[in-house]
């Protein structure tokens, strides 16, 4: 009961598969995702591959097989929500071990990382706009991380002082030696 309570109240989806890739256990979040993105209900004994779109069956079968061989890894997938919004999920595949340290199945966890992806994209776009503004205004910039002594130079800085792309070291001592 406690394990069910715990698993049904986490934000990640959780699916445990046997070696034949049949569902043994799943939490509420996994059921929600299966219904929303695949239009299918999960149930114990369901071959997980049967709900996967044809275009992804081979790769997912290989991923599950790798987990059954002892590999642990993550992937990222994109889904479209019912309103057309793109959503991103980080999926973790790992082997499931029994008390004797034998692999008895595979565990898939999946979590929505859409907000994180959108934030990363916003930062990239902001950096691109800053770079464009610096170049358009014929201005240069460099940034010094006081904790690591790492220095980052803008492309316009390198261009103005006629440095090649890899000529400057990303270390403050290099910058200081040029004064």
């Amino acid at each position: 009961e406690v394990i069910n309570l715990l698993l049904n109240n986490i934000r990640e989806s959780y699916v445990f598969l046997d070696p034949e890739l049949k569902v043994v256990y799943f939490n509420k979040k996994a059921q929600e995702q299966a219904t929303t993105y695949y239009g299918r209900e999960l149930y114990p004994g369901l071959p997980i591959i049967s709900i996967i779109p044809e275009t992804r069956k081979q790769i997912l079968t290989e991923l599950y097989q790798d987990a059954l061989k002892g590999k642990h890894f993550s992937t990222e997938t994109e889904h479209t929500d019912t309103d057309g919004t793109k959503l991103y999920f980080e999926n973790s595949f790992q082997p499931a071990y029994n008390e004797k340290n034998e692999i008895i199945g595979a565990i898939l966890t999946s979590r929505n990382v859409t907000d994180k992806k959108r934030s990363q994209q916003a930062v990239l776009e902001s950096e691109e706009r800053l770079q464009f503004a610096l170049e358009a205004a014929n201005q240069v910039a460099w940034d010094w991380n006081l904790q690591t002594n790492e220095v980052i130079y803008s492309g316009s800085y390198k261009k103005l002082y006629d440095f090649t792309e890899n000529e400057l070291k990303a270390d403050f001592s290099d910058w200081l030696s040029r004064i």
Side-chain angles (χ1 to χ4, degrees):
E1 258 183 64
V2 173
I3 292 173
N4 279 335
L5 179 68
L6 175 68
L7 291 173
N8 283 321
N9 282 285
I10 60 176
R11 295 172 48 190
E12 293 85 10
S13 72
Y14 174 92
V15 179
F16 172 55
L17 304 171
D18 69 15
E20 287 81 42
L21 304 183
K22 292 182 182 174
V23 174
V24 175
Y25 179 85
F26 55 91
N27 67 354
K28 286 181 185 178
K29 194 64 157 176
Q31 183 65 271
E32 289 172 16
Q33 287 182 355
T35 303
T36 302
Y37 304 115
Y38 302 116
R40 297 282 304 271
E41 295 285 325
L42 295 177
Y43 58 86
L46 172 73
I48 196 69
I49 297 301
S50 70
I51 72 168
I52 305 300
E54 200 61 43
T55 57
R56 296 197 27 89
K57 282 185 181 185
Q58 181 178 351
I59 186 69
L60 280 172
T61 300
E62 291 171 9
L63 292 173
Y64 287 126
Q65 293 300 330
D66 283 346
L68 290 168
K69 292 175 186 169
K71 295 180 183 174
H72 179 257
F73 50 93
S74 296
T75 64
E76 191 173 282
T77 55
E78 180 183 302
H79 290 279
T80 303
D81 205 358
T82 52
D83 65 358
T85 305
K86 292 212 183 283
L87 302 175
Y88 300 91
F89 291 87
E90 182 180 84
N91 310 295
S92 174
F93 296 80
Q94 63 187 41
Y97 296 93
N98 65 11
E99 312 81 40
K100 297 177 186 175
N101 208 29
E102 301 166 324
I103 297 173
I104 59 167
I107 298 171
L108 167 65
T109 57
S110 180
R111 89 184 147 105
N112 189 327
V113 293
T114 303
D115 290 340
K116 178 181 170 183
K117 289 286 282 187
R118 288 181 182 153
S119 295
Q120 290 171 337
Q121 185 61 35
V123 168
L124 285 174
E125 290 171 3
S126 177
E127 288 174 353
E128 287 173 358
R129 283 192 302 273
L130 174 60
Q131 186 64 31
F132 178 74
L134 286 170
E135 289 176 11
N138 202 25
Q139 298 294 310
V140 300
W142 62 277
D143 182 46
W144 174 25
N145 182 326
L146 296 173
Q147 294 174 331
T148 65
N149 264 341
E150 179 184 23
V151 178
I152 299 171
Y153 303 94
S154 69
S156 53
Y157 181 100
K158 294 173 187 176
K159 184 177 178 182
L160 179 67
Y161 295 109
D162 203 28
F163 290 108
T164 62
E165 185 61 34
N166 298 318
E167 188 174 353
L168 295 172
K169 295 179 186 170
D171 185 82
F172 183 71
S173 61
D174 185 59
W175 181 87
L176 196 58
S177 72
R178 297 179 189 281
I179 295 179

